[in-house]
Structures are given as C-alpha cells and as structure tokens.
Amino acid sequence: MRHLTNLELLLLALLQARPASGYTLRKAFVTTPLGHFSDSPGSIYPALQRLVRRGLIRPVKDQPASGRRKQLFSITPKALAELRDWLSQPITRDDIQHDPGGVMLRFAFSAQLLGNAAAREFALQLEIRVHETIVELESFLHGPGANMTAAARLAVEQGLEGYQALARWATRAAKELKRS
Amino acid sequence: MRHLTNLELLLLALLQARPASGYTLRKAFVTTPLGHFSDSPGSIYPALQRLVRRGLIRPVKDQPASGRRKQLFSITPKALAELRDWLSQPITRDDIQHDPGGVMLRFAFSAQLLGNAAAREFALQLEIRVHETIVELESFLHGPGANMTAAARLAVEQGLEGYQALARWATRAAKELKRS
DNA sequence: ACCGCCATGTAAAGTGTTACATGATTGG
DNA sequence: CCAATCATGTAACACTTTACATGGCGGT
C-alpha cells in the first residue's frame, strides 16, 4: 500500500467532516487559505478516483430526483483508521523542514479527529522539534555559514525567524487549547 | 521555450558564481539550508542535461591529467540573460503564497547578480506585497473564516504570523543592505 | 435562445522521487 | 586489498499542471 499524498489526506479529512462532491471540495480550496492546493479538476478528480480504488472513500447514492448530478463521497472505516494513523505520527525535524504544510494540516485536523487534548499534545511536540531545528540553523550560521554574502546570510536568517515565529505560535496554541 | 524550474534556476545561479560539477552542486544542497531541494542524483543530473539541451550551460573541458573524472559546467550568456530576467520579475502575492521558497531564492541571488541596490529594492517590494497578503488573510479571518473551529483558526493564524515575521524581516533586510 | 456557471472528467507532458547500476579512487 | 566515498548516470513510477471536452441547469 503506497503512501498517501497531502492532497489525498486533506480530501479524506474534509470528507470525514461531511460527505461532499468533487466540486464542493474544489471550492473549499479556493475560498480557504489552508494549505495551498490546486483547485484544478485535473488534480482533485483523479485523486478521488485513487481513493475509491484503494477503498478509502465510497460514492454515495445521490437522490437524483431532480437538480444537478452531484457525486457525493463518504469515507470508509479503513480511511478513518488511516487518518488516525497519519495524525498520530511523531513530528520530525525533517517534516518541519521539508513539509511544513503537511505539519500544519495535521494540526488543523487533529482536534477534529482526536480531540483538543491531542491537538495540544501535537502543538507541544511541534514546539520541541522546532526548537531543535532552530538550534541546528543557528549552529550553521555560526559555523560553516559564517562567511556567506550578506544577502545569503539574510536569506538564512529569514528561515530562522520563520521558525522562531512558529515556535512562539506553538506555545500559544498549546495554551489556548488547554482552556477547553 | 518552457519555463525554468526553481531547481534549474538555482543550478544556474550557483554555476554563475563558479563552474561546478553535478556532484559538487549536490553537496551544496546537503550542506546548506537554502531552499530544500533533493540531493538525489535522479533530480540533478537530468536537470543539468535539460540545461545543456536548452543551451544554458556548457560542459567545460576538464584537465584529465589524473584524479577523478569530474564534469564541470559553466553557464552561457543566454543563461545569464535568463537569470537577470528571473530576478527582475515583479513579486506577486501569488508568488508569496504559492512559492515562498522561490521568492527567497530570488532574493538570495539578486545581490550577487544585480548588486546590493537591486536586492534592497527587492526587499522593499517584498515588504509591500507581504503586507497586502496580510490584509487579505486578516479580512478572511474576520469575514468568512470567523466561525471556524479553534484548531483551524489557529492554523490560519500561524500562516498570518509567518507573514508578519516575513514583513519584519524584509524591513530589516532593506535597512541592512542600505549600509553598503 | 443564449450565455454563463455548475459539475465532472480525460489526455499529454513534464518533473521529482526512489531505486538500481557502474566504475574510479583514496585511505587504512 | 578492501571498504568507503567520489562521481555519474538510468529506469520505473506517480503526481501535478495545463488544456481540452462535455453536458445540464438557471437566469434574462
């Protein structure tokens, strides 16, 4: 069983909330700023077909009484297990550096699927890993990256400050999720 | 003429500084945190071949007296023009949201190719566009996104704070580049 | 009657990832 | 001399992007 794309996981997470059609899902991508996925039909419809083939979603019999045809999909128990597994994976520094969008995606849906306590745990773990990443970057700046051009150093510092903002956010998120 | 990938543009920019071999370029990806590109041979060697085919780089006759074989590449005048064009493109909100890595890549190399004044201009323009992006996100949070779940709202706010950090960085970068 | 939006799909092309394959050279 | 690293490549595969294609429904 091949691994699932961020797009496929996002589709599953959205369908877990409520069954929806390809078109509805597409619209959600355009109107919400969550993760930047393509709203083109060429990405979503094939993705939905893949999910059907893998037995993770199922077309719902629509009431064709009248109105436009609209193929709704709902997730299967297998998909629910897959989602829980995805959300339970530990965060790695590699995730943070190579796929920050996927990390935030996981956070956004962990409350929905695993509860606020789990989301809070996620934020706390994220904070730890981000701090590790910051240390790594700082030691690069003081070590091998000490004699870069001014512009290159500034570019690296931008990354560093982005991580620092992320760390601050994670502490705040954990705090806010505690109060509920 | 098809558009160039971030990877291809990065290769050109690195080769502009000094001719190098595929292996050397690969190592640079591993040891520097600039943009996260794959260090796998399967991405770099085909990319170099594409650049050769398009007449943007040229293999350099190596001195095969002894030592390991090492195919160095140098860029052509055509590539230099392509690089300057790339760096001179205006920054769009779309760039910032969909390809922030590409934006920082452009910043990092604009000083090298166009001078510090151009890099400073770039930072100033970036600041403006980021502020626009922030306004856009904030109006989403107060408008259609007002009744999201706590976790979803936090996720969006993370994006917002990332942009705010980027804006602060841009002002600082512009200031630092002024002093030179 | 017609334009535009809703709604779903297909086809082609290109890129990146993973894995595999090969040989030379340096160091212990 | 044996292992690790240097150094370059190829092949299969899957995904995303872009463009094209189709048809029903709603409003004017």
Side-chain angles (χ1 to χ4, degrees):
Chain A
M1 163 107 39
R2 183 88 73 276
H3 91 285
L4 293 165
T5 316
N6 275 343
L7 172 60
E8 292 167 339
L9 289 161
L10 172 58
L11 290 173
L12 289 181
L14 290 173
L15 289 174
Q16 189 273 333
R18 88 187 69 259
S21 68
Y23 190 80
T24 310
L25 294 165
R26 248 181 82 196
K27 267 199 313 189
F29 290 178
V30 195
T31 53
T32 83
L34 242 190
H36 269 292
F37 295 94
S38 149
D39 61 328
S40 76
S43 63
I44 282 146
Y45 291 107
L48 288 171
Q49 289 167 0
R50 289 196 299 271
L51 292 174
V52 169
R53 241 184 285 130
R54 295 184 204 190
L56 295 172
I57 64 176
R58 221 192 309 269
V60 165
K61 286 159 221 20
D62 50 347
Q63 53 287 13
S66 82
R68 295 193 167 97
R69 85 180 188 283
K70 196 182 225 183
Q71 186 53 63
L72 296 176
F73 294 95
S74 67
I75 71 166
T76 65
K78 193 174 162 190
L80 197 59
E82 201 80 41
L83 278 172
R84 286 188 203 285
D85 180 67
W86 174 52
L87 296 171
S88 306
Q89 293 299 318
I91 309 170
T92 66
R93 259 163 296 167
D94 195 89
D95 289 334
I96 291 168
Q97 292 179 7
H98 287 48
D99 185 23
V103 173
M104 290 315 295
L105 219 48
R106 280 199 271 166
F107 171 81
F109 288 108
S110 49
Q112 186 186 122
L113 274 120
L114 304 178
N116 270 11
R120 183 166 169 274
E121 277 309 311
F122 192 94
L124 288 172
Q125 202 198 349
L126 177 59
E127 193 193 344
I128 293 171
R129 291 283 165 277
V130 172
H131 274 129
E132 292 173 4
T133 310
I134 288 172
V135 169
E136 218 176 71
L137 247 192
E138 276 174 344
S139 66
F140 170 82
L141 271 172
H142 293 76
N147 47 358
M148 289 187 295
T149 66
R153 183 175 37 75
L154 279 168
V156 177
E157 284 170 359
Q158 195 286 318
L160 186 62
E161 289 169 21
Y163 288 134
Q164 285 162 346
L166 181 54
R168 282 194 301 271
W169 171 87
T171 33
R172 181 171 74 86
K175 207 179 295 177
E176 287 205 19
L177 287 168
K178 198 175 187 174
R179 304 178 325 186
S180 39
Chain B
M1 163 109 36
R2 183 87 73 273
H3 91 283
L4 293 165
T5 315
N6 276 342
L7 171 60
E8 292 167 338
L9 289 161
L10 173 58
L11 290 174
L12 289 181
L14 290 173
L15 289 175
Q16 190 272 333
R18 89 187 68 259
S21 68
Y23 190 80
T24 310
L25 293 165
R26 248 181 83 197
K27 267 199 314 190
F29 292 179
V30 195
T31 52
T32 82
L34 242 190
H36 270 291
F37 295 94
S38 148
D39 61 328
S40 77
S43 64
I44 281 147
Y45 291 107
L48 288 172
Q49 290 167 359
R50 288 196 299 270
L51 292 173
V52 170
R53 242 183 284 129
R54 294 184 204 189
L56 295 171
I57 65 176
R58 222 191 307 271
V60 165
K61 284 159 223 16
D62 50 347
Q63 53 287 15
S66 81
R68 295 193 168 98
R69 84 179 189 283
K70 196 182 226 181
Q71 186 51 64
L72 296 177
F73 294 97
S74 67
I75 71 166
T76 66
K78 193 174 162 190
L80 196 59
E82 200 80 41
L83 279 172
R84 287 188 203 286
D85 181 68
W86 174 52
L87 296 171
S88 306
Q89 293 298 319
I91 309 170
T92 66
R93 260 163 294 167
D94 195 88
D95 289 334
I96 292 168
Q97 293 179 6
H98 287 47
D99 185 22
V103 173
M104 291 315 295
L105 220 48
R106 280 199 271 166
F107 172 80
F109 288 107
S110 49
Q112 187 187 121
L113 274 120
L114 304 178
N116 270 10
R120 183 166 169 273
E121 278 308 312
F122 192 94
L124 289 171
Q125 202 198 350
L126 178 59
E127 193 192 344
I128 294 171
R129 290 284 165 279
V130 172
H131 275 128
E132 291 172 4
T133 310
I134 288 172
V135 168
E136 217 176 71
L137 248 192
E138 276 175 342
S139 66
F140 170 82
L141 272 172
H142 294 75
N147 47 357
M148 289 187 294
T149 65
R153 182 175 38 74
L154 279 168
V156 176
E157 284 169 359
Q158 196 285 318
L160 186 61
E161 289 168 20
Y163 288 134
Q164 285 161 347
L166 181 55
R168 282 193 301 271
W169 171 87
T171 33
R172 181 171 73 86
K175 208 179 295 176
E176 287 205 19
L177 288 168
K178 199 176 187 174
R179 304 178 324 185
S180 38

